[in-house]
Amino acid sequence: MEKAGRGSEGGPRGPVLHIVVVGFHHKKGCQVEFSYPPLIPGDGHDSHTLPEEWKYLPFLALPDGAHNYQEDTVFFHLPPRNGNGATVYGISCYRQIEAKALKVRQADVTRETVQKSVCVLSKLPLYGLLQAKLQLITHAYFEEKDFSQISILKELYDHMNSSLSGTSLEGSQVYLGLSPRDLVLHFRHKVLILFKLILLEKKVLFYISPVNKLVGALMTVLSLFPGMIEHGLSDCSQYRPRKSMSEDAGLQESNPPADDFVSGSASNMSNTNLGTVKKIIAGNHGGDASIKTEKPFFQLEHDSSKGQEPSDTNQYLKPPSRPSPESSESDWETLDPSVLEDPNLKERELVGSDQTNLFPKDSVPSNSTPITVQPQANMGQVVLIPGLISGLEEDHYGMPLAIFTKGYLCLPYMALQQHHLLSDVTVRGFVAGATNILFRQQKHLSDAIVEVEEALIQIHDPELRKLLNPTTADLRFADYLVKHVTENRDDVFLDGTGWEGGDEWIRAQFAVYIHALLAATLQLDNEKILSDYGTTFVTAWKNTHNYRVWNSNKHPALAEINPNHPFQGQYSVSDMKLRFSHSVQNSERGKKIGNVMVTTSRNVVQTGKAVGPEQSIA
């Protein structure tokens, strides 16, 4: 019988592609020190060479500011190699150790501490499961105090590939370590706002440090979407790393020297913003992080007729290699059937092509039936299917929704070297996590910033805030979740045997919510039904890519779903209290009123006399 971990030709047969060790070198910065099997076929296990698509791997596996923590965990996503295949899921365990504790100290160890990450690159999104195994091995690897002892890493590779398979996605272990219960306890009623924000495919940035808190919160939010973790992220990292120093705005193509590296806050070319550059010592992983200079990098002069690029910054700012997409929907999704007769069609690259508008819009007759091309499963044949195809493995309800497809990225942790993706014209949106304050300061590059520590959602656009303002039924739904979680806090849920208020129960409630919402959009006379979900929200959602893909196909299972909001009903006094509580928690004016009420109550208790509102406010 053939060994489970390796194929007859040496290729990986299991879900784990590589085990990688990333270290911080005092001169070269973050670099790959070991990989098994080698990242580049034919290279040695100790080669530092990286595939072009994975050039950011060292900075993702060994995160910015890692020196501030003894250990940390990172989830990250890499694009597929050669533009083919699906997302590669990275799980990295970071640790640091005092150099004097090493039994074997290499010559290049010149600092007081040694920082390294052990990383698993997998084809399956088993974040928590792989993390649990990896943490044990990383601990054992460091306990050796001799990093040349790599046999334990090779054993880890073989063990994971022999014990894991595609069926691992079918059980609850795919959610290991992702706790919606903790999320609801922390964000409370705002969890539903996060859910609907992602449904609208907005640019959402999560911010907190250390990284394990960041990736845990972000991935837990995504776990609320039915089927999203299991099957909805296979296309979520289709981005192109920059290939030259000029495109990188000063960032070197691969491992930068420790002297310095430059990161530009490059805004979208269409915006007239002042960019800044911060020169940061790459040695921030080693504990010497300091900002050396901050100076204007470039400034786009406002011109009502056209945007001009300063001549002295041409080496940094280049126009996009292809025109900006006119919409979030590319034309390959709605092809005229006559186009399929073109004998040269198969030679064209439909996905990842340098031409965004491969088929002009006027070439699609308005009365023609939309046709898409998709390989027939297990037969290798090409079939014509009406409607739009997500490319994801869907259930009878059309789940997971095609949110993270066609340039909408999911990057649980985003390295500083990937900053350009926030303004890349080929990226139509993102849900990304960052620990570096530079990301948070660039507010114009995102629609919302989620401050995880404070459970605060900063939405910049007033119109978007109105869209996401929860309806009365939504507030009831959120309050139902919060009450079940908080009231059952000290009971059987602690040992995982409970149901109501537990992790699986919360995911089930969101599944009921999204199924009912989808069913409501299919009703003929649905204005009253949709008002419970937010009429303006639903109108905006119907214009998103994920809804158009879902709506273009039939989902018979939804016929059995009640389209009414799970918490519809007549307005009551308790609803007024809910609305007031929500306003107090989420607006500056509300917070001021809340403070006045607290002050008034305190004065009544102390003096027995009520203080007038005008006195309290004054």
Side-chain angles (χ1 to χ4, degrees), residues 44-61:
H45 296 306
D46 57 351
S47 172
H48 304 314
T49 307
L50 291 166
E52 180 62 31
E53 299 90 344
W54 294 354
K55 60 183 289 186
Y56 302 129
L57 170 58
F59 310 106
L60 293 167

Side-chain angles (χ1 to χ4, degrees), residues 395-414:
D395 64 14
H396 298 302
Y397 300 98
M399 301 289 105
L401 294 171
I403 296 175
F404 295 102
T405 60
K406 288 201 49 207
Y408 190 79
L409 304 182
C410 173
L411 303 172
Y413 172 67
M414 201 173 190

Side-chain angles (χ1 to χ4, degrees), residues 61-75 91-96 116-118 131 134-135 138 208-215 413 435:
L62 195 59
D64 184 44
H67 63 279
N68 293 318
Y69 304 94
Q70 283 297 115
E71 56 186 292
D72 204 355
T73 302
V74 190
F75 301 159
I91 298 90
S92 172
C93 285
Y94 162 82
R95 288 178 70 93
Q96 64 175 321
K116 293 185 189 295
S117 286
V118 181
Q131 175 190 348
L134 189 58
Q135 281 178 328
T138 303
I208 194 177
S209 187
V211 181
N212 67 82
K213 291 184 177 180
L214 174 74
V215 298
Y413 172 67
T435 59

